[in-house]
Amino acid sequence: MAIKKIRSSGALAILTSGGDAPGMNGCVRGCVRTALEAGFKVYAVYEGYQGLIDGNIKELSWESVGNIIQLGGTVIGTARSSEFRERSGRLKAVRNLLHYNIDKLVVIGGDGSLSGAEALRAEFPSLVEELQSSGAISASDVGTPTLTVAGAIGSIDNDMVGSDYTIGADSALHRIVEALDAITSTAYSHQRTFIIEVMGRNCGHLALMAALASGASGCFIPEMPPPENWADLLQENILEGAKAGRRVNLIIAAEGACDINNHKLDAAQIKDELKKRGVDSRITILGHVQRGGVPSAYDRLISTLFGAECIKMLTADKQESQIAVLQRNRVGSTGLTAAVEATRAAGRALAAGDYASAGRARGDEWLRMAGIQKTMMRLSPPEHSKSNNQRKLRIAVATCGRAAAGVNSALRTIIRMGLASGAEILAIEEGPTGMIQGKAHLAEWMEPELWNAFGGSRLGAGIYRQTAGDLSKIAGNFRQWQCDGLIVIGDWGGYRLLDRLYKARKRHAEFAIPMIAVPASINNDLPGSEYSIGCDTALNNIVDAIDKIRNSTDTAKRTYVVEVMGRYSGYLACCAALASGAEYCYTPERPLSLDELRHDVREMADAFKLENRHTGLIIRNENAHDDYSTDFIATLFEADGGDEFDVRKAVLGPIQQGGSPSPLDRIQAVRLAYFAVRNLLESIAVDVKGAYFIGCQAGEVVIHPWSDLRHSPDPWKRTRCKRWYGDYEKAIRKLAINPEVRNRRR
């Protein structure tokens, strides 16, 4: 995140426009503090483009954006302005920009807001000329009449083509899934059908991902209209589902859903058609609750990086307006005009009934997830998967290691995708213990129906502790079970168990079958993957706990030292620090010295004194240093901080592993599990008896051969290898401590 220092007489302004989105405040904070670090004078335009017209513009300091990252909405306000669409309105806006000597503008909003910024940039020279001609300004009021624009996409619909993420989408999904989990309880009690309408005018992202995360039995999205007889099919699904033992029917409809004839299909129409067919249902329209509430950890994290990226774009002096995007799990930039045009082209395709083009605009991965959802909604495996008097393939699945939220979504996917492919799924109970003691059963289609919302593993897990004779017992059970393949979901303990089975093939022919390990670890420390099932839920638990800890401060000036899990991975510590606005973060990957700690104590004391702040925050990974423990750091800051603050410590412990899985953990679990099943079936089909481990790298699912583990360090031992999130630590310090304070200690 290298930002060059600028030497400019101009200033920079930030505005939020259009619909609000959780995470906008994180982006504002990232923009403001990175811009101040770069040497800009920074202004906020309050109430969006209308504020630009009215001159509602105020200069911001470092302290102006303190303690806002955890707030929903936008603290600088937003509004829709019809006046800005007129040239007369834009003339007023330019006059105010010139008054404050603003020649750079950051806009956080949707495609309409970003298009407005680009129109203003393009017209800027002619608007300046018109103001000069009318005598509203003199030639001395402006130098070179140019305006540079950068943008960040704030849209809960996640509808911008060219970016895998838009600010607010993850938080909105949190609100939706929380509501669906709550509705499931009452729906189960009454064996009732609920129709839930969610936002998504031109994009079905929220509806589709909510359906995958909640285990919905119906989903209507704009890009994939249902067939002509959709109501009859839905009635059949509901009635047959009741016979099969399904007690809950959640039907999710995006507000922009249409039928095959391009006629609007909302919740009321779905309810009416079901009523005609004798099916009673209830409607819940979530509405603006989807925009509300505190932003998720992911929204805070990525929006902060988006804000910093906007300033990076502005200091790069690019002629074309740029927007910050997330592609392949990395924050970067792309051209504003092309991205907006591609997004609007997808909208036009929907309006014209060209659903194939609209679907392709969402990307191959989105289309794949839509296909998975169609299979997961079924009441039973498709006809082609049923017995033809041949022995079915049998895939065993087990969960191993410590608790990780999201594992049940993976199990549900493995069971249903495996059965849909014509295989049998042998569910091994109690993890390694069940492998040894022969505890297993053949899973049925409806068994994992409501598993998604549960933490831990519904099959049971456990930590494998090697004892003599284990492998012989497992081999005997595999022979009895007639296993053709094995999927292990778990942490490094699960990987080590699979490694023992793989290496024992010469002694036990039963292990000469395809095997694959799926990463599930809150520490996010497994080789070959930038993401492990459970890490996002843990991160949200940490950030939620930090919010509560910070709110406990009243008038006292206090610094908190919070210890988080992670073993020898700094992922949770780094991401939690960036998402919560912590001042310091101590991780195992970066050596920690006593000199550094002393420097940080004095710097924190200076920050309290000079900024008149009330809280400070330090995040420490549990294994950051063998000697400099959480107790030691808290004592040092208390002793050397003087009278500026007192210190409290908090060790979060197992709370990080518990709770209902986050939407991201559920969805990524579905994704990884799907590829694991597909890889295993392909290996069996071509008689390849290899072992593999799966992971997400740069946003793509990658299948690694087991031999690659030799080149990976043991994640449960201290290493100094560079991690993909390593640059987060630099960003934490740059965004948390005022450069004026930092420069005092250099």
Side-chain angles (χ1 to χ4, degrees):
M1 198 182 71
I3 308 293
K4 67 180 182 181
K5 293 283 185 178
I6 56 99
R7 296 179 181 274
S8 170
S9 57
L12 179 148
I14 300 166
L15 66 84
T16 52
S17 177
D20 65 300
M24 280 184 165
N25 288 322
C27 192
V28 168
R29 176 178 176 272
C31 279
V32 170
R33 292 196 167 177
T34 307
L36 291 171
E37 171 80 16
F40 285 106
K41 180 177 281 190
V42 182
Y43 293 92
V45 179
Y46 287 81
E47 316 308 338
Y49 284 116
Q50 193 59 48
L52 197 57
I53 292 169
D54 298 338
N56 192 357
I57 301 171
K58 299 177 183 177
E59 187 175 357
L60 296 178
S61 66
W62 191 271
E63 295 78 17
S64 301
V65 292
N67 207 31
I68 68 169
I69 195 171
Q70 76 279 13
L71 302 179
T74 164
V75 296
I76 62 176
T78 182
R80 303 186 190 277
S81 174
S82 57
E83 191 177 357
F84 186 77
R85 297 190 181 97
E86 306 295 329
R87 186 173 175 87
S88 59
R90 294 193 292 276
L91 272 171
K92 294 177 184 177
V94 170
R95 178 69 187 88
N96 288 322
L97 289 172
L98 295 175
H99 175 75
Y100 290 96
N101 199 24
I102 296 167
D103 60 3
K104 290 178 172 57
L105 183 65
V106 175
V107 176
I108 308 166
D111 63 333
S113 301
L114 296 171
S115 295
E118 177 59 15
L120 185 65
R121 183 202 66 79
E123 283 186 316
F124 194 79
S126 66
L127 291 168
V128 171
E129 184 178 347
E130 185 174 337
L131 287 169
Q132 289 176 331
S133 299
S134 66
I137 63 171
S138 64
S140 61
D141 289 335
V142 61
T144 304
T146 59
L147 179 69
T148 308
V149 170
I153 317 145
S155 168
I156 68 167
D157 291 347
N158 202 34
D159 56 355
M160 183 64 76
V161 176
S163 182
D164 299 334
Y165 159 89
T166 60
I167 295 170
D170 188 63
S171 298
L173 199 53
H174 271 255
R175 301 293 95 78
I176 294 168
V177 171
E178 286 165 5
L180 293 174
D181 286 350
I183 289 170
T184 296
S185 299
T186 187
Y188 185 90
S189 301
H190 296 276
Q191 299 187 59
R192 185 161 284 164
T193 296
F194 275 85
I195 304 165
I196 299 93
E197 187 172 294
V198 303
M199 289 185 175
R201 185 184 54 194
N202 290 322
C203 179
H205 173 84
L206 289 178
L208 174 60
M209 297 305 161
L212 282 164
S214 64
S217 51
C219 182
F220 294 87
I221 57 177
E223 297 88 345
M224 293 182 175
E228 196 84 49
N229 63 335
W230 65 266
D232 293 330
L233 294 173
L234 186 57
Q235 176 208 28
E236 181 183 357
N237 183 283
I238 292 170
L239 296 180
E240 291 301 315
K243 294 177 184 177
R246 176 184 282 168
R247 295 182 63 88
V248 178
N249 284 290
L250 300 181
I251 314 299
I252 302 175
E255 61 180 336
C258 294
D259 62 20
I260 196 67
N261 298 311
N262 211 15
H263 297 142
K264 185 173 176 59
L265 190 60
D266 60 19
Q269 289 168 300
I270 297 171
K271 177 182 172 64
D272 288 344
E273 291 299 322
L274 288 177
K275 186 176 181 181
K276 291 176 186 177
R277 290 160 176 79
V279 177
D280 184 37
S281 61
R282 299 289 187 273
I283 290 177
T284 299
I285 298 177
L286 296 183
H288 284 78
V289 72
Q290 296 160 86
R291 293 188 186 277
V294 300
S296 68
Y298 192 78
D299 265 327
R300 302 186 199 190
L301 176 72
I302 303 298
S303 66
T304 298
L305 297 175
F306 271 11
E309 183 68 20
C310 285
I311 307 307
K312 181 179 178 181
M313 291 185 282
L314 292 177
T315 58
D317 294 326
K318 291 186 178 181
Q319 296 301 310
E320 181 188 9
S321 297
Q322 303 280 303
I323 56 171
V325 295
L326 184 74
Q327 294 176 335
R328 299 173 66 84
N329 201 32
R330 300 292 187 274
V331 172
S333 62
T334 192
L336 186 157
T337 302
V340 169
E341 175 52 33
T343 301
R344 292 187 169 176
R348 290 193 296 269
L350 280 177
D354 185 1
Y355 305 112
S357 295
R360 285 194 298 271
R362 306 295 174 220
D364 292 341
E365 187 62 31
W366 192 91
L367 291 171
R368 183 181 294 112
M369 297 299 276
I372 294 171
Q373 175 59 14
K374 286 183 179 179
T375 300
M376 300 292 283
M377 289 189 300
R378 296 180 62 92
L379 287 170
S380 62
E383 287 296 324
H384 67 78
S385 68
K386 295 182 179 177
S387 177
N388 55 4
N389 297 323
Q390 293 182 351
R391 189 184 83 83
K392 288 190 174 185
L393 297 176
R394 184 170 290 180
I395 297 173
V397 59
T399 51
C400 302
R402 292 157 178 80
V407 164
N408 289 315
S409 289
L411 288 170
R412 182 174 183 268
T413 304
I414 289 167
I415 290 170
R416 291 203 170 172
M417 296 307 295
L419 292 174
S421 300
E424 291 180 329
I425 302 298
L426 183 81
I428 299 175
E429 303 159 13
E430 299 181 27
T433 300
M435 271 193 197
I436 297 167
Q437 297 180 0
K439 297 179 179 180
H441 67 275
L442 289 177
E444 297 181 355
W445 185 272
M446 294 301 292
E447 179 181 349
E449 174 70 4
L450 298 177
W451 284 11
N452 289 46
F454 291 98
S457 168
R458 300 298 283 180
L459 291 182
I463 300 169
Y464 176 59
R465 293 180 173 85
Q466 179 179 340
T467 58
D470 286 349
L471 293 182
S472 296
K473 293 177 183 177
I474 295 173
N477 290 327
F478 274 33
R479 182 168 57 254
Q480 180 182 343
W481 291 333
Q482 296 181 299
C483 295
D484 297 297
L486 173 66
I487 300 175
V488 173
I489 307 170
D491 58 15
W492 188 241
Y495 279 50
R496 289 194 296 191
L497 172 59
L498 197 151
D499 187 57
R500 287 203 70 210
L501 302 181
Y502 179 68
K503 290 177 177 177
R505 288 181 167 187
K506 291 182 179 179
R507 287 179 287 132
H508 301 285
E510 293 82 1
F511 301 147
I513 57 176
M515 301 176 176
I516 189 165
V518 178
S521 166
I522 71 163
N523 303 322
N524 200 23
D525 57 355
L526 294 170
S529 188
E530 295 174 358
Y531 165 85
S532 295
I533 297 169
C535 67
D536 186 67
T537 304
L539 180 59
N540 277 281
N541 288 340
I542 292 167
V543 170
D544 181 60
I546 290 172
D547 285 350
K548 290 181 172 66
I549 289 168
R550 276 184 147 168
N551 289 340
S552 68
T553 299
D554 40 30
T555 58
K557 290 191 172 185
R558 185 163 292 161
T559 289
Y560 297 97
V561 183
V562 179
E563 180 183 300
V564 303
M565 289 182 177
R567 282 190 175 268
Y568 291 104
S569 165
Y571 175 83
L572 288 178
C574 276
C575 291
L578 196 54
S580 59
E583 280 73 25
Y584 304 113
C585 173
Y586 303 133
T587 65
E589 291 92 346
R590 193 172 61 84
L592 180 63
S593 68
L594 185 58
D595 286 342
E596 180 184 348
L597 287 171
R598 285 171 171 162
H599 168 275
D600 292 348
V601 172
R602 292 161 187 157
E603 190 173 73
M604 182 76 88
D606 287 345
F608 269 82
K609 185 175 182 180
L610 299 175
E611 297 176 14
N612 194 31
R613 64 165 62 198
H614 279 79
T615 59
L617 179 62
I618 301 162
I619 309 292
R620 179 187 178 273
N621 168 281
E622 59 185 344
N623 291 327
H625 196 280
D626 293 336
D627 298 315
Y628 305 143
S629 64
T630 300
D631 287 337
F632 177 88
I633 292 173
T635 301
L636 180 65
F637 272 74
E638 179 77 64
D640 288 10
D643 297 328
E644 299 302 330
F645 54 80
D646 59 15
V647 178
R648 296 290 185 274
K649 65 175 181 174
V651 179
L652 299 186
I655 191 175
Q656 298 158 81
Q657 294 175 291
S660 182
S662 72
L664 181 58
D665 269 332
R666 301 186 197 190
I667 292 161
Q668 290 286 49
V670 169
R671 189 174 177 226
L672 288 170
Y674 165 80
F675 276 99
V677 172
R678 194 178 78 171
N679 172 262
L680 213 62
L681 291 173
E682 289 174 352
S683 296
I684 294 170
V686 296
D687 198 29
V688 173
K689 298 178 173 61
Y692 310 90
F693 58 102
I694 194 171
C696 292
Q697 286 190 314
E700 300 291 332
V701 175
V702 180
I703 309 291
H704 303 274
W706 200 254
S707 58
D708 284 1
L709 274 183
R710 300 172 194 162
H711 310 297
S712 302
D714 186 333
W716 288 2
K717 295 180 180 178
R718 190 186 302 278
T719 63
R720 300 297 185 193
C721 62
K722 183 174 174 57
R723 312 274 182 153
W724 63 271
Y725 51 82
D727 290 340
Y728 287 8
E729 282 198 62
K730 297 176 185 176
I732 291 162
R733 289 182 176 249
K734 282 190 174 183
L735 294 173
I737 299 293
N738 192 323
E740 294 180 8
V741 174
R742 273 189 272 126
N743 291 337
R744 288 168 59 93
R745 291 291 164 188
R746 288 180 180 171

